Amino acid sequence: MTKERDRLILMDGVSTSYSAYFHGAKFGRDKEDYPAMMDCFFMRTGAIMRVYNTKDVHIFFDDTESSIRKKIYPAYREINFQNGPKAVRTRQLWPTMQKDLLECGFSLYGSPGLEGLDLIGQVVKDNPDRKISIISEHYRTLQLLSENVDVLPFTGISAGAKSLNPIQVRDFLLQYPFKISQWTDYLSMVGYGEDNIKGVKGIGKVAATDCLTGETLKVRQVAALNASKETMEKEKKLHTLPIEPVVLELQEGGFDPFGVMKVMQKLGLTSRMKSPVWGGEENV
């Protein structure tokens, strides 16, 4: 992967924190859950910054008090309300994580009623000529792919990574024989279980793809789609990023090395402190 100094790193704080918590034990078997989670976060974020040769990192979190999507679709389940003990514990740790990230000097963002992905979508729209990497596990982000924008799942990044394998336009087109601009139409048909969005009954991935590429559908599939037009429009809006335009001014990206060292020391992440990415002297 080419190193680029002008690349923006837009991080989905919700899905990356889940990933860091779920996989933290792998990097910190002798640590409590929060230090292990942050160890994983610093390791993967450091690898991203090192490979892309940038410190222009911005982190976006959801508004957990209200949701525009819930008002449109009462059955909607925000990604920040996943079930399971690990997910519940991750949410309990968000206030502490956000406080520590601010102490590290990172730029954090949120907006009433919106998810972090909405803000990421707005930044992409506002910066059409910038090279951007979106760090997220969420399928919705694929609608933002372009020649300048890729999507990198947080899972699977190793400490010593010399390259990264983001999802790019060509990867999308190899898997899906329709336009990226049709991604929200596809999701509105097949649904998205994590958010409790059902899609159209009787329409799976094959039928949805056939519909978008102009292939002939079965009579019952056509009937199902015709009967669900209003629901599909509503669900398409739920998937659209941003769901509503928002005025967002990016702060200066990056971090404070002294703040990072202070947080790492507090959490006992002594080996991570040696990384030159964070201002240390040795590679991890």
Side-chain angles (χ1 to χ4, degrees):
M1 181 63 64
T2 303
K3 294 183 178 181
E4 299 168 275
R5 293 186 179 277
D6 64 341
R7 182 177 290 268
L8 274 174
I9 305 297
L10 308 181
M11 185 173 288
D12 170 13
V14 170
S15 72
T16 55
S17 62
Y18 276 132
S19 177
Y21 185 88
F22 282 33
H23 298 275
K26 181 177 178 182
F27 305 102
R29 295 182 180 86
D30 58 338
K31 300 180 179 69
E32 294 182 4
D33 60 353
Y34 179 65
M37 169 185 173
M38 292 302 288
D39 192 18
C40 183
F41 174 86
F42 282 123
M43 182 279 291
R44 289 178 174 170
T45 303
I48 292 167
M49 291 192 299
R50 185 184 66 253
V51 173
Y52 284 135
N53 199 21
T54 182
K55 296 180 180 178
D56 204 359
V57 178
H58 305 265
I59 307 174
F60 302 81
F61 281 91
D62 296 4
D63 173 20
T64 57
E65 299 299 323
S66 62
S67 170
I68 290 174
R69 287 179 173 83
K70 288 279 284 186
K71 294 176 182 177
I72 298 172
Y73 188 88
Y76 179 75
R77 181 174 61 234
E78 299 96 329
I79 191 171
N80 60 14
F81 290 110
Q82 288 186 34
N83 295 318
K86 289 184 178 180
V88 171
R89 178 57 178 158
T90 304
R91 293 196 292 274
Q92 292 172 345
L93 293 172
W94 278 345
T96 303
M97 181 185 190
Q98 291 172 358
K99 181 180 177 181
D100 282 344
L101 290 176
L102 287 172
E103 188 170 356
C104 289
F106 282 107
S107 298
L108 271 60
Y109 306 82
S111 185
L114 298 177
E115 297 178 3
L117 293 180
D118 290 309
L119 306 185
I120 289 174
Q122 189 66 56
V123 173
V124 170
K125 292 179 185 299
D126 292 343
N127 295 273
D129 299 322
R130 289 292 300 271
K131 292 287 186 181
I132 296 175
S133 284
I134 300 169
I135 315 302
S136 178
E137 310 287 330
H138 207 294
Y139 266 32
R140 257 191 239 143
T141 54
L142 297 184
Q143 69 188 271
L144 302 173
L145 287 171
S146 72
E147 293 305 315
N148 286 332
V149 180
D150 58 41
V151 175
L152 178 67
F154 203 54
T155 302
I157 300 171
S158 63
K162 292 183 172 56
S163 63
L164 300 170
N165 296 297
I167 301 168
Q168 299 177 321
V169 170
R170 64 174 180 268
D171 303 307
F172 180 97
L173 297 177
L174 282 172
Q175 186 168 355
Y176 303 100
F178 50 80
K179 298 176 183 178
I180 291 172
S181 60
Q182 295 175 297
W183 184 239
T184 52
D185 295 293
Y186 176 80
L187 291 178
S188 73
M189 285 187 268
V190 301
Y192 192 68
E194 280 192 22
D195 292 331
N196 201 32
I197 298 176
K198 304 298 185 183
V200 179
K201 187 175 181 179
I203 301 296
K205 295 179 180 180
V206 174
T209 299
D210 287 345
C211 177
L212 295 174
T213 55
E215 298 293 330
T216 303
L217 298 176
K218 296 176 181 178
V219 173
R220 61 177 175 79
Q221 292 172 332
V222 174
L225 290 171
N226 287 336
S228 304
K229 284 184 178 180
E230 186 176 340
T231 301
M232 285 170 57
E233 282 302 311
K234 186 182 294 185
E235 294 191 0
K236 181 178 178 179
K237 183 173 177 62
L238 295 177
H239 291 300
T240 300
L241 301 176
I243 190 169
E244 290 185 0
V246 58
V247 177
L248 180 67
E249 185 174 344
L250 282 184
Q251 305 165 34
E252 184 175 349
F255 60 89
D256 172 16
F258 295 102
V260 170
M261 291 298 142
K262 184 177 178 181
V263 170
M264 286 184 176
Q265 188 171 34
K266 176 180 69 176
L267 298 177
L269 308 181
T270 53
S271 63
R272 203 65 62 201
M273 291 171 66
K274 299 175 183 178
S275 171
V277 173
W278 302 112
E281 298 177 354
E282 300 175 19
N283 246 319
V284 180

